[in-house]
């Protein structure tokens, strides 16, 4: 059996566990019968392994808590106006609660406040929004995740190196925090120079073009960090196409199949993984608790972890790479 087949088999086994076990530790009274409450989950885009896994977790929780879940997203993460329209639509349709992963920290603030004005609880998930009216935030500590990526990059490239950053959408809170965490850690090492910061708008082709530009303009670059799934795939594929794998160290985010393939091939040296299944599941759980008038924590950190070839097959890491169980 190949390594790839083994990973797929592990994923299937964990999926079976999902069907045979409960994911919840919440009070039994939240699993009420009767008319389902409505929750709209509005995320950054309607495709990609990360968002599909978020949706999977949310659907499991929706079934458990008797919730009618509507999953909504624009076609592209850079369509901020489209996300605002979806929020307005949910307000007009009188959703019982909204879960929002804001594509832009500031631009989604007003419509979030408007939802709260109409007494619709808003749960912030994955990426925060500049509104004091949200009930809680569910997701990764993105600043800390950026620091983890930087620590591994310095370990790989040394304390005298030239580094590039491939971010996604400027103004997205999680992207900004990852970049900030990365930069703050790198600043400890005067010999490490960040020579380029690019924004690929969560577009694989643009990530490839910007990676090529980065390598052409800085042929002595030692490493690149890519800060989300789409940026990671585009950057990795271009490094592979240019034959720069291994020479240019690559730290990525998330664990779609393509990134895991590039990790096995030595193009990616390590990836920072989150727990999108938990993000979706817990966002629905806390939305239900907010609708019930229960106190919810201000923040729920679903953690991140660095994965490489040495630890990817550890049982605990398999659960996070294929997070079908909580």
């Amino acid at each position: 059996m190949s390594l790839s087949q083994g990973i797929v088999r592990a994923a299937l086994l964990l999926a079976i566990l999902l069907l045979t076990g409960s994911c919840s530790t919440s009070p039994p009274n939240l699993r009420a019968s009767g008319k389902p409450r409505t929750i709209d989950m509005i995320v950054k885009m309607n495709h990609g392994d990360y968002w599909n896994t978020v949706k999977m977790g949310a659907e499991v929780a929706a079934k458990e808590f008797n919730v009618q879940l509507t999953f909504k997203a624009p076609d592209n993460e850079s369509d901020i106006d489209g996300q605002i329209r979806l929020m307005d639509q949910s307000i007009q349709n009188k959703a019982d609660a909204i879960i929002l992963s804001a594509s832009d920290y500031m631009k989604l603030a007003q419509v979030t406040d408007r939802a709260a004005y109409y007494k619709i609880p808003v749960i912030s998930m994955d990426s925060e929004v500049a509104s004091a009216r949200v009930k809680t935030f569910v997701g990764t500590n993105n600043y800390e995740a950026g620091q983890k990526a930087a620590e591994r990059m310095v370990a790989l490239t040394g304390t005298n190196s030239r580094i590039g950053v491939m971010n996604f959408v400027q103004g997205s809170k999680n992207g900004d925090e990852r970049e900030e965490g990365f930069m703050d850690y790198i600043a400890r090492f005067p010999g490490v120079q960040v020579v380029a910061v690019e924004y690929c708008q969560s577009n694989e082709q643009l990530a490839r073009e910007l990676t090529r530009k980065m390598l052409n303009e800085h042929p002595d670059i030692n490493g690149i960090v890519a800060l989300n799934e789409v940026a990671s795939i585009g950057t990795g594929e271009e490094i592979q196409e240019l034959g720069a794998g291994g020479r240019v160290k690559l730290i990525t985010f998330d664990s779609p199949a393509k990134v895991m393939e590039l990790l096995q091939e030595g193009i990616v040296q390590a990836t920072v993984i989150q727990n999108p299944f938990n993000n979706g599941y817990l966002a629905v759980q806390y939305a239900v608790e907010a609708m019930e008038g229960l106190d919810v924590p201000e923040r729920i950190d679903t953690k991140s972890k660095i994965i490489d070839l040495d630890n990817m097959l550890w049982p605990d890491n398999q659960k996070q790479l294929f997070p079908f169980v909580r």
Side-chain angles (χ1 to χ4, degrees), residues 133-160:
R133 308 294 295 276
V134 297
K135 295 296 185 180
T136 187
F137 168 72
V138 177
T140 303
N141 181 327
N142 287 291
Y143 180 89
E144 182 182 88
Q147 294 231 313
K148 290 176 182 177
E151 182 180 18
R152 181 57 63 92
M153 182 65 79
V154 172
L156 288 167
T157 62
T159 55
N160 287 283

Side-chain angles (χ1 to χ4, degrees), residues 28-308:
N29 64 321
L30 291 181
R31 304 185 194 95
S33 58
K35 182 181 178 181
R37 289 156 290 195
T38 61
I39 296 178
D40 286 0
M41 173 174 275
I42 300 171
V43 302
K44 294 182 178 184
M45 60 183 181
N46 59 15
H47 58 276
D49 286 4
Y50 181 87
W51 296 116
N52 287 338
T53 308
V54 167
K55 182 181 179 183
M56 186 187 305
E59 288 173 341
V60 170
K63 183 176 180 181
E64 186 170 341
F65 298 120
N66 192 33
V67 162
Q68 181 178 319
L69 179 73
T70 303
F71 188 86
K72 304 161 109 178
D75 291 336
N76 192 280
E77 191 169 336
S78 61
D79 186 5
I80 296 162
D81 289 340
Q83 202 178 45
I84 292 171
R85 285 193 294 272
L86 291 174
M87 281 287 289
D88 276 327
Q89 183 185 89
S90 293
I91 294 168
Q92 292 167 9
N93 292 341
K94 300 180 180 179
D96 291 318
I98 297 172
I99 297 166
L100 172 66
S101 179
S103 290
D104 189 284
Y105 180 67
M106 296 302 300
K107 292 179 181 177
L108 269 293
Q110 186 175 9
V111 72
T112 301
D113 287 341
R114 188 154 60 247
Y117 174 81
Y118 286 103
K119 303 191 184 306
I120 300 173
V122 178
I123 305 298
S124 182
M125 186 268 298
D126 176 74
S127 184
E128 295 179 73
V129 62
S131 171
R133 308 294 295 276
V134 297
K135 295 296 185 180
T136 187
F137 168 72
V138 177
T140 303
N141 181 327
N142 287 291
Y143 180 89
E144 182 182 88
Q147 294 231 313
K148 290 176 182 177
E151 182 180 18
R152 181 57 63 92
M153 182 65 79
V154 172
L156 288 167
T157 62
T159 55
N160 287 283
S161 55
R162 295 164 65 81
I163 307 299
V165 177
M166 185 65 69
N167 206 331
F168 41 108
V169 176
Q170 195 163 15
S172 174
K173 185 67 170 176
N174 56 346
D176 289 348
E177 287 180 337
R178 290 172 195 177
E179 183 180 323
E180 183 183 0
F182 186 87
M183 294 295 201
D184 284 354
Y185 188 92
I186 291 295
R188 303 177 191 180
F189 305 95
V192 179
Q193 182 182 358
V194 176
V195 296
V197 178
E198 301 286 358
Y199 294 87
C200 69
Q201 306 304 319
S202 282
N203 181 295
E204 282 182 27
Q205 182 57 40
L206 182 55
R208 293 191 67 150
E209 293 169 7
L210 292 172
T211 299
R212 183 178 290 268
K213 171 176 174 282
M214 202 182 288
L215 295 179
N216 284 339
E217 293 179 353
H218 307 282
D220 56 348
I221 200 167
N222 303 109
I224 299 175
V225 61
L227 296 181
N228 79 345
E229 173 186 311
V230 179
S232 297
I233 293 171
T235 302
E237 288 182 335
E238 191 63 22
I239 287 176
Q240 185 177 45
E241 177 74 19
L242 295 172
R247 177 181 69 80
V248 178
K249 308 302 182 185
L250 178 59
I251 307 294
T252 60
F253 266 72
D254 300 321
S255 54
K258 184 61 182 180
V259 165
M260 299 314 294
E261 177 185 324
L262 292 170
L263 179 65
Q264 293 172 66
E265 293 174 357
I267 306 300
V268 171
Q269 277 64 53
T271 191
V272 182
I273 64 168
Q274 307 175 77
N275 201 327
F277 183 93
N278 267 12
N279 287 353
Y281 183 94
L282 292 175
V284 170
Q285 175 183 319
Y286 285 107
V288 172
E289 292 190 13
M291 287 188 288
E292 292 290 322
L294 301 177
D295 289 334
V296 297
E298 184 178 338
R299 302 181 69 83
I300 297 95
D301 182 3
T302 53
K303 308 298 182 183
S304 63
K305 182 180 291 189
I306 283 271
I307 295 293
D308 56 26

